[in-house]
Structures are given as structure tokens and as C-alpha cells.
Amino acid sequence: MSEEKVLIFDTTLRDGEQSAGIGLTVQEKLEIARQLDRLGVDIIEAGFAASSPGDFEAVQTIARELRRPMIVSLARCHVGDVDAAWEAIKDAENPRIHVFISSSDVQILNQLRSDPERVMDLAVQSVERAKSYCDNVEFSPMDATRTDPDYLYAMLEAVINAGATTVNIADTVGYTFPTEFAERIRLIQENVPNIDKAVISVHCHNDLGMSVANSLGAIIAGARQVEGCINGLGERAGNAALEEIIMAIETRPDLFGVSTNIDTRQIYRTSRLVSDITGFPVQPNKAIVGANAFRHASGIHQDAILKERTTFEIMDPQAVGWPSNEMVLGKLSGRAGLRSRLEELGYNLKAEELNETFEQFKLLADKKREVSDADLVSLMSSQRRVVDVPAIFTLEHVQVASGNHEVPTATVKLVSSDGTSTTDAATGTGPVDAVYKAINRIVQVDNKLTEYRVDAVTEGIDALGDVTIRIEKDDQTYIGRGSDTDIIVASAKAYMNALNRLLGDGNGYTHNTDPSP
Ligand code: KIV
Ligand code: ZN
């Protein structure tokens, strides 16, 4: 393996969180950050401290807890932003301030309503201010791929002189192509006289589906930091999918000649966690982490794989932590078997957590003959939801009558946190509608259901159903998730999860993380 490293910079919690429809609580961001730490990313962009009090708190919490990875806050070229970024990360073991400003004419003139000289001054002053707090400063010329090359070289030279230790060439609007981008990275090395004093980073968006290819082209041309998000989350069509970049580097050492510090066996789990927490599903044919990524449908392929795996598999699914499904648990399995299987999947539980999970596992095993790895991952996600969201109301009982000649009718019993239990019933246009109306009669909080989705965790008639919903109240969105072998029960659990977030203080989100200058 090559000694030369490419640093992996994860921005799932900042650019990823800018995806329309995603908004994470501090607790959820911390949980993703802990998993990114296990994955071994070098740098975590934990947020944009000046954008909202919630973002500030998330960056600060992550900076205080995680000791190994470098923790970054984004900042515009504003004094207040740079100061807030430092305030949020100053307790980190390894802090970095990331300053950015538009560098293309189209953005400088129309968005900033400024001029290139003024922008150059602001960039230098902001990097100097960041440097006065923190040795480690990253500077991003936003829209660098549509920036006049000579202006870009001059800007990079100036910010490196001002103290920037990383310069991040951003393809903000996903405009460039692999050969063109690689050439731009090569020319930067040729034309910026002090470039050896900074690491070249790249940050590619996916508007033309080119973000991973562009990032990889840049690595071949000499970039030594690459930015992206898990599952390719991010603004509009997203950022480069980190898991794809990492596995390309792993799989083709002959082409890249570099390595990363990533524990690839944590990739699948990280992808699942991010999808679960954000409520953004992973498309089945997505490279590396999609449900079909290692599934062979053709008989010819299956036959060849059985003879020799590498005939049709360029990566070992186990190397990305894909659950093997070889060992299936059932209702006769004991606590030790469950613990050992969970450990193999990367979950190390304390004794009381194992007890609680074992109870849930037994309930599931009673309904399903075989409990697969995918079921266990889903079970662990449900456990986390229960712990993370305050139980202002708990679902005790749900029962539904429906059919093609019946008016769907639901009865629910909820227990509130003071122990009072209430039963009510309602009719609806369908069984889920009836359940939600019955719950509404008890909880009595106006809200609008804006999204409802059911996914099957595994195949088969007894598959666990994972329900994800979004509800809105007063311009705030609340995500709810629930799993069960019965999708009506899973729907009820998802609604309770969303309502408890709504009722618990500060668990919703509005989209206030716009980083425009
Ligand atoms: O896409 C972009 O240009 C950004 C910058 C803030 C780096 O996200
Ligand atoms: Zn971006």
C-alpha cells in the first residue's frame, strides 16, 4: 500500500445537511459524527457555526467530544462568521476554520454585487483573521471551476501567503468534467508559486453526475484532500459520494497509487445510519451501498461467482461491511449469539442495552422465523429512535379493521409521560389514515403529513417494514420512523416518533443553513 495519503473530508453534516428536506438535531449529528469517527475519516465538517444556534451547538458538541478527527466549521468572509466558527471549535483537539467566498465573475457580480479586487481583499483579511485563532485554515474559492484561471491563481497565492494551509477547489455547480478538472488541478500546481505550502483539496457537486469521476481525476492530478458526503447527499444533486471515492482508491491502487485512513468495513453501517437518520433512502442500484450492489441476478453470473468470486465481483462485499446473512438468528438464539452477531455488525452494547435489545429481538423472532443481519440493523435503528426522542406519548395498542367493503376504523391506546392512558377511535380513507386520525384525537396537535414511505428491510412476506414520514407544523419539519412486521403498526410507530419530536422542545428543523455570502 502506498505511503502517500489522500485525506478524507466528510461534509455530510454541513453540505449534506443542506439537502432539501434534511434537518438534523444536535443529537443526531453527534451520532453520525461518532460513526464517521469509527469509519476513520480524517476531517469532519461539523456545520456552519454562524448559520443558526442549533448549528453552533452541534459543531461545539462534536468538537468537544470527538478527539481523533479534525473538526471544522464553515465561515463566510465575515468577521462574525470567523469568530463564531472559532468559538464553536476552539475546544477541539484538532480544529480547523474553513473560510469561503465566491471567485467566479458570475457570482461576484450578481450574487455578491461586488468586484474581484474587493473579494480578493475580503478573502485575505478573513484568512488572516482565522489564522489569528487557529493554525489550520482552509480556504475555498466558491465556483472555482467557472473562475478565470489567472484570478484563481492570484487568489490562491494570496490566501496561502495569508496563512491558508488547505485550498479547496470547489466545483460548486457541478459544471466541470474529469479531464478538464484534472488539468485545472495540474495548472494550479504549475501557476501558484507557493502551492507547496498548502494541501490541494477538491469539492465536487453532482449536477451532471460527474462528482465522483471529477474528484478521482483530481486525485490523479495531485489533489491530496477530497471532500464529499456519505450516500452522495448535498445541495441539489448532491456532493461526491465518499464511499464511492474510497472504494475506487482501494480497488484500483494501480491507478491512484495513494491510500486512505478509512476502515472500509464501516462503510455499509455508516451509509445505513445516515440514511436512517436523514430519512433519505439509498437507491437500490447505488454503487457500494445500494441493496443490489452485490446481488447477482443472472444465472450465468451466479454460476461463475460460485466457482470463483472474482469472476463478477471486483470488491468483496465483506470489505465494505456488507452483512453476510450467513448466520441467521431465530427464536431459540440466546443472548450470547445475539451479542456476537451484533458485534460482528459493529454494535458493541453495554449489558443493559443488550438486555433491552434482546427483549426486542425476542419479540421480532416470535413474528419472523429467521432474523437476518438486515433485520438486526433495522432493530438497532429502532432502539436508537426510542432512546433519542423523549417519549411524551407511547403507543400501547393499535388495532385496525379494514377491507374492500368496510370503512377503515382504528382504535389506539396511548400512554402519556405522566402515566395516564387514553383510548380513542377514528375512521379514515385507509387504515393508516384511520390510525393517524385516532392518534390525533388524543394528542391534539395540528400538523400536516407531507411524506409517507414504506420500505421492506428484507425480502419475503414476513419482511420488516420500515416506515418514514415527515410532518409539518409552523414551518418546521419533523421526521418520524418506525419498523414492524406489520406496516400499520410501523406507520403508527413512525407517527408517534414524529409527534414526540414535535412535542419535545427543539427537535424540528427549518432550513436556515444557507451559506450564501
Ligand atoms: O459547493 C461549495 O462551493 C461549497 C463551499 C462552501 C466549499 O460548499
Ligand atoms: Zn458544496
Side-chain angles (χ1 to χ4, degrees), residues 14-15 74 98 100 140 142-143 168 170 172 203 205 227:
R14 199 279 297 168
D15 215 323
L74 186 67
H98 177 187
F100 76 100
S140 293
M142 186 154 87
D143 205 14
N168 180 40
T172 305
H203 175 112
H205 279 268
E227 304 194 354

Side-chain angles (χ1 to χ4, degrees), residues 459-463 485:
E459 299 112 15
I461 198 71
D462 62 353
T485 46

Side-chain angles (χ1 to χ4, degrees), residues 245-315:
I245 294 175
I246 292 161
M247 288 315 290
I249 294 173
E250 283 282 319
T251 310
R252 296 301 306 271
D254 53 322
L255 277 184
F256 295 100
V258 292
S259 62
T260 71
N261 293 317
I262 296 295
D263 176 357
T264 60
R265 289 162 310 165
Q266 291 289 337
I267 285 179
Y268 175 78
R269 191 177 162 203
T270 312
S271 163
R272 273 297 308 229
L273 183 79
V274 168
S275 168
D276 190 48
I277 290 183
T278 58
F280 264 47
V282 173
Q283 77 194 57
N285 57 331
K286 159 95 176 58
I288 319 295
V289 289
N292 291 351
F294 294 98
R295 200 173 260 176
H296 303 272
S298 138
I300 297 172
H301 292 196
Q302 288 170 352
D303 174 56
I305 287 263
L306 290 172
K307 291 176 178 144
E308 167 54 45
R309 187 186 61 77
T310 55
T311 47
F312 283 92
E313 256 177 20
I314 57 165
M315 291 166 273

Side-chain angles (χ1 to χ4, degrees), residues 389-394 414 416-417 439 442-447 471 473 478 495-508:
V389 181
I392 293 167
F393 284 97
T394 312
L414 305 185
S416 65
S417 46
I439 291 174
I442 301 174
V443 177
Q444 302 206 352
V445 174
D446 265 359
N447 68 81
I471 60 174
K473 180 173 170 56
Y478 303 85
Y495 192 40
M496 294 311 302
N497 185 240
L499 282 174
N500 278 326
R501 280 172 197 271
L502 188 162
L503 295 165
D505 210 8
N507 269 318

